[in-house]
Each structure stands twice: as C-alpha cells, then as structure tokens.
Amino acid sequence: MFETLSALAEPNRLRIVELLRAGPQPVGEISERLRLRQPQVSKHLQLLKEVGLVGVEPVAQQRVYQLRPEPFRKLHAWVEAYRGLWEARFDDLDVVIEDLKRKEKENARHDRRKK
Amino acid sequence: MFETLSALAEPNRLRIVELLRAGPQPVGEISERLRLRQPQVSKHLQLLKEVGLVGVEPVAQQRVYQLRPEPFRKLHAWVEAYRGLWEARFDDLDVVIEDLKRKEKENARHDRRKK
DNA sequence: AAAGAATATTCACGTCAAGGAATATTCTTC
DNA sequence: GAAGAATATTCCTTGACGTGAATATTCTTT
C-alpha cells in the first residue's frame, strides 16, 4: 500500500502508469511518447514491476508492459475507508473543540481543588 | 493529484493521515500516539496542510488538525479511472501480442519486397 | 556466428527531503 | 509581565533517488 503510493509519487512514473492505462506497450513506445530516454524508462518500469503495478511479457526483443489490477484494487479499498469524510457527516471540528474546552475547564476545576 | 500522492508517500505522514481518520487531533496527541518527536510531526503536518490534506483550528495553545475531504475525493476519482482494469475485461496482453506479431510479419513481407 | 534491434544494467554525480537538536512563537494563567 | 505549555521554525547533516552516459544482455535475422 505504501510502496504503491511511493511508486506513483514520481512524475515520470505516474505518467508511465497513466499512459499504460491506454493499453499495454513496449518500452520503446513509452519512451517515444513520453519523450524519456530509454534507460530511465526501463528503470522506472523495473521499479513499477517490483511493486507489482505492472507486469511484463517478452515479445521477441521487446518487452511489453501492462498494468496489473491488484494494486489499484487495494488503493481503491484504501480510499474507500475515507468515504465517511466526504459523505454525510459535517465537520467534526466544532464538536472536538467543544470537547477540548470542556475538558480544559474540568482540569481547571481539579487544579483549583488540588491547591 | 500528484502532490497528494507524494505527500502520502512518506511512512510517517501516511501514519498521521491514518491516525487522523479516527478524528481531529492536536499535535501533541499525534506525537504521543505515533511516538514521533513533536518538531517532525509539526513539519509533516505543515506539508500535509500545504497540499490541502489537512486543516487546522487553533484551540488555545494547541492546534487541532483534521483531514480535509477534497484530496480524498480526487484520489477516489483518479483510481476510479482504472476501474476497467479489475472489472470485466480479461488480460489485453494476448491480444496485443498477437497484434504485434501480425505487424511484425507484415513488415517482414514489406522488407522482403523492398529488397 | 555476426550484426543489429530492443531493452537492461552499471557507475558517477547532484539534488532534495527527512531527522535531530536547538531555538523561536504563540497563547494562557497567575 | 513572567512563567510555562503547546507548537512552529531554523540549521545542519545524511541517505535515497532520479538523471545521464556508457556498456552489457537478449533476441532475431541472415
């Protein structure tokens, strides 16, 4: 989950992933379309592969890379956990603040007693 | 979108965000629960704030931080764009490979003619 | 097996960002 | 207004990472 995020947290890698959304592509094509030098593309793809974001399939001398679904499923699930944030529920802040102020006053009372 | 990703692509920052899912918290509490030194927590929160992932509300000397919905909505939307990956559709790879091989053969034919 | 195409790997270098320690700010209370 | 609590900021050092250039691998074709 965290590995997925940091893999995506790099401009060119993100571009590659977004390009691959259009379909599987060999390294050369990615390199051309994104105007990146081949070695860097290979490196990024290597990283993406290690994290499971992409898979490879050799075709002659080329290697066709494609997105793999798992990481995206997990990412989706992770974000879903925050659904409560933008649905229904108002800002909790006011409530919490009131709570904090209440506790504060209580402590104040206690302190006074102690003394 | 990319800023959001790179903000989350840091272990402690991710932990902070996940902790804040439980509700708004002042810096000190975050610092305690995650066993991180206060200055680093402040720094991370600063970053998260700049990217819009969190908001602050001062309460006396404390600053209560809370998650903001926007970035999560966008993240969700982004991932949704990859929905096709894990739904319906089989691996495209075979198709693409067949395609590549076909083109290859065509080129081979052309080459032969040219020569 | 030699040549060429497509891709991978290595090495050196520069940058950027996280952590630690010390200090500055802000706000409350007495 | 001085002291203390909660948080922010600065400065420094170090490690990780992306890039570029050169080279190595892999695979096909003749």
Side-chain angles (χ1 to χ4, degrees):
Chain A
M1 174 74 271
F2 159 70
E3 281 189 328
T4 302
L5 285 173
S6 50
L8 294 172
E10 203 283 334
N12 289 327
R13 228 138 46 201
L14 187 57
R15 293 175 66 205
I16 291 180
V17 167
E18 297 193 317
L19 175 57
L20 284 180
R21 188 170 48 185
Q25 323 230 353
V27 179
E29 212 165 318
I30 301 178
S31 179
E32 282 181 15
R33 296 203 185 175
L34 302 186
R35 309 226 162 158
L36 295 174
R37 310 183 186 283
Q38 176 267 317
Q40 346 291 347
V41 173
S42 280
K43 289 177 197 169
H44 285 309
L45 286 170
Q46 224 51 33
L47 215 237
L48 291 172
K49 192 178 66 178
E50 284 171 4
V51 189
L53 271 164
V54 305
V56 213
E57 201 77 12
V59 176
Q61 317 108 18
Q62 357 193 40
R63 310 289 147 100
V64 180
Y65 284 85
Q66 113 183 287
L67 294 180
R68 286 188 41 189
E70 313 307 331
F72 292 93
R73 282 207 198 92
K74 291 185 182 171
L75 233 187
H76 190 263
W78 186 80
V79 180
E80 280 291 339
Y82 291 80
R83 185 144 223 152
L85 263 188
W86 69 82
E87 265 185 1
R89 201 187 297 179
F90 279 25
D91 272 11
D92 275 344
L93 244 201
D94 307 325
V95 183
V96 177
I97 289 179
E98 286 314 310
D99 204 50
L100 280 169
K101 288 184 176 168
R102 193 176 46 69
K103 287 181 184 172
E104 224 175 308
K105 288 179 183 172
E106 277 183 15
N107 289 334
R109 279 204 301 278
H110 291 318
D111 289 354
R112 248 171 265 143
R113 271 187 221 147
K114 282 182 182 174
K115 287 174 186 170
Chain B
M1 176 72 270
F2 161 69
E3 281 189 328
T4 302
L5 284 174
S6 51
L8 294 173
E10 203 282 335
N12 290 326
R13 228 138 48 201
L14 187 57
R15 291 175 67 204
I16 291 180
V17 168
E18 296 192 319
L19 175 57
L20 283 180
R21 188 171 49 185
Q25 323 231 353
V27 179
E29 211 164 318
I30 302 177
S31 178
E32 284 182 12
R33 297 202 185 177
L34 301 186
R35 309 226 161 157
L36 296 174
R37 310 183 187 283
Q38 176 266 318
Q40 345 292 347
V41 173
S42 280
K43 289 179 199 170
H44 284 309
L45 286 170
Q46 222 52 32
L47 216 238
L48 290 173
K49 192 177 67 179
E50 284 170 6
V51 189
L53 271 164
V54 304
V56 213
E57 202 77 13
V59 177
Q61 317 108 19
Q62 358 194 37
R63 311 288 148 100
V64 180
Y65 283 85
Q66 111 184 291
L67 293 180
R68 286 188 42 189
E70 314 306 331
F72 293 93
R73 283 207 198 91
K74 291 185 182 172
L75 233 188
H76 189 263
W78 187 80
V79 180
E80 279 292 339
Y82 291 81
R83 184 143 224 152
L85 263 189
W86 70 82
E87 265 184 1
R89 200 187 297 179
F90 279 25
D91 272 10
D92 275 345
L93 244 200
D94 307 324
V95 184
V96 177
I97 289 180
E98 286 314 309
D99 205 48
L100 280 168
K101 287 184 177 169
R102 195 175 46 71
K103 287 181 183 172
E104 224 175 307
K105 288 178 184 173
E106 277 184 17
N107 289 334
R109 278 202 301 277
H110 291 319
D111 288 355
R112 247 171 265 146
R113 271 184 222 148
K114 283 182 182 175
K115 287 175 187 171

